[in-house]
Amino acid sequence: MEEQRPGLVATSSSFYPGFEQDPAALSLCSLQVLGEDASSMPFCPLLFPLTPTPAAPAASRSQRNCILRRRFRVETKAGMGSNGFFDSTNFFGAEEDGPNLSPFLRKLFKEWDDRKARGLFHHDITACETKVLPGEHNFVATLIEGRDQKKRPTEFGMNQVIQPFDGGKFNFTKVRPEEVIFRFQETDDASARYFDGASHTVSASPSAILINVSPIGYCHSLLIPRIQECLPQRVDQESFLLAMYVAREARNAFFRVGYNSLGAFATINHLHFQAYYLKVQYPVEKAPIEKLTVLRNGVSISQLVQYPVSGFVFEGGTGMEDLSQVVSNACIFLQENNTPFNVLISESGRRVFLLLQCYAEKQVLGKASQEFLDMRINPAVWELSGHLVLKRRKDYEEASEATLCRFLVEASLSGAEFQELKRLVLEFLASASPEE
């Protein structure tokens, strides 16, 4: 008999028909959703077409218009036509894509757009210029001028991956109530149900999803496991599995979940993951890989090749729990050895990238190039994955694959450093792999 796994529930009288029987539903926790009745929710896509269309007309943007008219410039070696702009709404209208979104994403989009309409964000990400650079990797560059000056400041040292939680500094229990989107509670079955009308508080919630008030992509959100426990930014197996389940619940390859350790450009020492929706394949997701080993539980471990950042790629296993356990074990090993890292949960939790870097250390030691210091790029998980946020128009207009490759190489471990770390990680994971 198949083992019953915990499920996901929430609060209101509106259910999504048939969703409880969906085998792809999130099998942990319950969502209490802050907002209006789910039955009338609109679809709010984001939106990154990679095929040319005519330029959009200069139309006014209503704050509550769910079809966001965001224009992107896509540059290729061959060029993309006279105007070089695409109107994403021509490709991702509500009528076409709405039914194909999971209930979780439809609800998340609706609630995030509601917070945008209320003016809770530091900038309008839908008005920020974004382009795909020509070259082998097709890096994505987004211009958000002054974002580093509006973000909450980093309040801890960058030289230790494990640091104790400090309640005197900013943490997510101090956010405004309206920044809370979802609250989670465990259930005893494998169902997933969504309700509305939950009170605007996180006081009684083990886990929560909040808006990121300084977004770099559409629906940029924060997942805070067991928020009231005030855990430091440190991976554990339970919280990582929760992040994997959220990625699977989205059921959309363009919604990724990321993690930054301390020392790898996490800016708040309160356990959290990030996620947002960008309809383009990240450069790291299409990078070639070289298989290293397959563990006893069937999880395959590979390494990135022909990519400027060193890292591992995990996939396979008999189930998501196996994959999650192996990756979280690797993260715990790195934490305990004071090695900064970033994680990208990709393809709805089917592939996980573990990326290694040392840029903060180079900054502290005065070994970072002044050229890149002036650009003020913080190489967190999204940047290492190939979506880079630039803060100056000059850098955005002059951005090239060659420049960004040089930056990512500088941020990453050297070849010799990665080889030694690879040996240690593989030895540890082989010893931690359960017997058949």
Side-chain angles (χ1 to χ4, degrees):
M1 182 175 177
E2 186 175 349
E3 181 183 352
Q4 282 277 347
R5 293 182 297 183
L8 183 109
V9 194
T11 76
S12 149
S13 55
S14 292
F15 289 79
Y16 291 90
F19 187 58
E20 291 183 56
Q21 290 74 39
D22 190 332
L26 175 63
S27 38
L28 189 70
C29 339
S30 136
L31 281 178
Q32 291 182 312
V33 182
L34 312 180
E36 301 170 357
D37 183 76
S39 62
S40 60
M41 82 175 66
F43 162 61
C44 306
L46 170 78
L47 309 167
F48 205 109
L50 293 181
T51 51
T53 70
S60 60
R61 285 190 180 97
S62 169
Q63 280 189 312
R64 291 192 178 272
N65 182 3
C66 281
I67 302 179
L68 305 172
R69 294 188 176 276
R70 183 178 180 187
R71 299 206 312 174
F72 296 88
R73 183 169 53 150
V74 179
E75 301 179 355
T76 69
K77 290 178 180 177
M80 299 301 288
S82 58
N83 56 44
F85 284 91
F86 305 135
D87 177 8
S88 55
T89 60
N90 288 352
F91 288 88
F92 303 99
E95 298 81 3
E96 258 182 58
D97 285 13
N100 298 325
L101 287 178
S102 70
F104 171 70
L105 272 194
R106 293 177 68 199
K107 189 63 181 174
L108 185 61
F109 287 3
K110 175 181 181 289
E111 297 295 332
W112 196 90
D113 279 321
D114 171 74
R115 305 321 192 267
K116 177 177 177 290
R118 293 195 230 168
L120 299 184
F121 298 105
H122 292 163
H123 53 261
D124 180 3
I125 188 60
T126 66
C128 295
E129 295 175 57
T130 294
K131 62 184 177 183
V132 176
L133 301 181
E136 176 185 357
H137 301 293
N138 294 129
F139 292 119
V140 182
T142 295
L143 175 64
I144 310 179
E145 295 181 276
R147 180 177 187 264
D148 52 331
Q149 298 162 6
K150 299 174 184 176
K151 284 185 63 181
R152 291 170 176 132
T154 301
E155 298 182 299
F156 52 85
M158 297 288 282
N159 60 338
Q160 292 293 325
V161 174
I162 296 178
Q163 299 183 39
F165 180 86
D166 184 345
K169 296 177 180 177
F170 176 82
N171 64 76
F172 295 112
T173 66
K174 300 180 180 182
V175 300
R176 294 172 294 176
E178 57 266 30
E179 294 181 30
V180 182
I181 297 180
F182 293 155
R183 294 187 295 139
F184 291 77
Q185 289 185 335
E186 291 185 6
T187 63
D188 295 326
D189 56 42
S191 66
R193 302 189 299 276
Y194 295 78
F195 300 79
D196 292 307
S199 60
H200 288 236
T201 179
V202 296
S203 60
S205 172
S207 300
I209 291 180
L210 320 178
I211 61 170
N212 186 329
V213 295
S214 296
I216 69 168
Y218 180 71
C219 209
H220 197 167
S221 306
L222 303 169
L223 166 64
I224 322 297
R226 311 196 307 275
I227 188 168
Q228 284 296 317
E229 294 183 29
C230 295
L231 303 170
Q233 186 72 345
R234 178 177 182 175
V235 166
D236 60 71
Q237 290 189 350
E238 181 182 348
S239 64
F240 195 85
L241 183 58
L242 174 63
M244 293 281 282
Y245 281 142
V246 167
R248 184 172 71 180
E249 177 73 358
R251 282 181 267 154
N252 191 304
F254 298 122
F255 184 83
R256 291 90 165 181
V257 178
Y259 176 85
N260 302 314
S261 78
L262 301 187
F265 295 91
T267 57
I268 297 169
N269 188 18
H270 186 178
L271 181 58
H272 65 285
F273 296 80
Q274 301 185 39
Y276 66 91
Y277 182 89
L278 185 66
K279 201 154 191 180
V280 63
Q281 189 176 27
Y282 283 177
V284 75
E285 292 174 322
K286 59 185 180 181
I289 60 173
E290 176 185 322
K291 184 172 287 189
L292 299 174
T293 188
V294 178
L295 300 178
R296 287 187 287 264
N297 60 6
V299 173
S300 171
I301 307 175
S302 304
Q303 70 178 32
L304 294 167
V305 295
Q306 299 174 34
Y307 190 73
V309 178
S310 300
F312 300 101
V313 184
F314 298 84
E315 52 196 326
T318 57
M320 179 169 282
E321 291 77 8
D322 286 339
L323 180 58
S324 179
Q325 182 178 41
V326 171
V327 179
S328 57
N329 281 343
C331 294
I332 291 167
F333 175 82
L334 294 172
Q335 288 169 171
E336 293 178 347
N337 286 277
N338 201 36
T339 302
F341 63 92
N342 308 86
V343 179
L344 180 73
I345 300 175
S346 176
E347 297 181 19
S348 301
R350 289 187 290 272
R351 295 179 89 202
V352 183
F353 297 81
L354 178 56
L355 307 173
L356 292 313
Q357 66 156 294
C358 58
Y359 193 65
E361 179 184 5
K362 287 184 176 179
Q363 288 179 321
V364 170
L365 297 176
K367 295 182 178 179
S369 301
Q370 191 61 46
E371 172 191 5
F372 299 132
L373 291 174
D374 291 343
M375 292 175 70
R376 305 197 305 274
I377 304 175
N378 293 329
V381 58
W382 313 116
E383 286 77 12
L384 297 187
S385 300
H387 180 200
L388 291 97
V389 176
L390 303 174
K391 286 92 173 181
R392 303 186 303 182
R393 177 161 293 280
K394 171 181 179 292
D395 298 326
Y396 179 78
E397 291 178 347
E398 297 176 359
S400 67
E401 177 164 298
T403 299
L404 297 185
C405 270
R406 286 193 297 108
F407 169 71
L408 292 175
V409 167
E410 180 166 310
S412 184
L413 301 182
S414 69
E417 290 170 329
F418 177 68
Q419 290 302 318
E420 176 60 16
L421 186 61
K422 177 174 70 175
R423 181 184 66 81
L424 295 172
V425 168
L426 292 179
E427 286 179 1
F428 173 77
L429 292 178
S431 67
S433 179
E435 296 291 339
E436 293 182 297

